[in-house]
Amino acid sequence: VFRTSLFFRPTVVVGGPQAVEDFMRQERDTVSESSLPATFTELHTPHGALNHAGARHKATREGYVQLFNREALANYLPVVDRLVQAKVQALAAAPDGRVRPAVELKEFCLQLFAELFLGAPLSAEEMAWFQE
């Protein structure tokens, strides 16, 4: 029996000595860029955490732990709630009830990211940088 963390959640693993050794070896050695499907590299880019290995993966994971720990998530909740409420009200007030879901969702996600991780909403000029 030993404790570890999987996807930032405490996890208990039960098994004999050989099972523990195999698990630890796989945890350390198996996940690498070469073991992931090619679509992962394309979707997550070479800079994404799913494509990191070794020391780079460890450093990235430590960064994610700080961004997504219980305290951080609790701090994000009021911002998420405020932005969701504002978006729902804006969509409900749309002329003739017409909305552009893909555009609206993209703008919402960009603004949410900006407010959560940059501390301020994007300006109209900055939003234009993301338009196709």
Side-chain angles (χ1 to χ4, degrees):
V1 177
F2 71 97
R3 268 180 29 175
T4 188
S5 177
L6 296 174
F7 299 105
F8 311 115
R9 299 193 66 153
T11 303
V12 175
V13 178
V14 179
Q18 184 61 45
V20 171
E21 284 179 30
D22 289 345
F23 177 84
M24 296 302 283
R25 182 183 46 75
Q26 289 174 5
E27 176 80 4
R28 183 185 66 244
D29 299 336
T30 302
V31 178
S32 68
E33 184 177 353
S34 62
S35 69
L36 295 170
T39 54
F40 274 69
T41 302
E42 185 176 337
L43 290 172
H44 298 278
T45 77
H47 306 292
L50 292 174
N51 292 317
H52 293 179
R56 185 174 184 195
H57 179 262
K58 182 179 179 183
T60 301
R61 188 176 63 205
E62 289 171 358
Y64 283 151
V65 167
Q66 293 173 22
L67 287 172
F68 298 110
N69 65 35
R70 187 179 303 272
E71 182 181 347
L73 293 174
N75 289 329
Y76 300 157
L77 191 56
V79 175
V80 173
D81 187 49
R82 178 175 48 80
L83 291 177
V84 167
Q85 293 299 324
K87 181 53 75 177
V88 168
Q89 290 173 1
L91 292 173
D96 300 327
R98 293 177 183 236
V99 295
R100 302 168 303 162
V103 172
E104 296 288 346
L105 208 53
K106 180 179 179 180
E107 291 173 357
F108 172 78
C109 290
L110 287 168
Q111 289 295 6
L112 180 63
F113 178 86
E115 290 210 29
L116 289 177
F117 302 114
L118 303 176
L122 297 173
S123 67
E125 179 184 2
E126 291 166 330
M127 285 297 289
W129 297 340
F130 296 97
Q131 301 306 314
E132 296 178 72

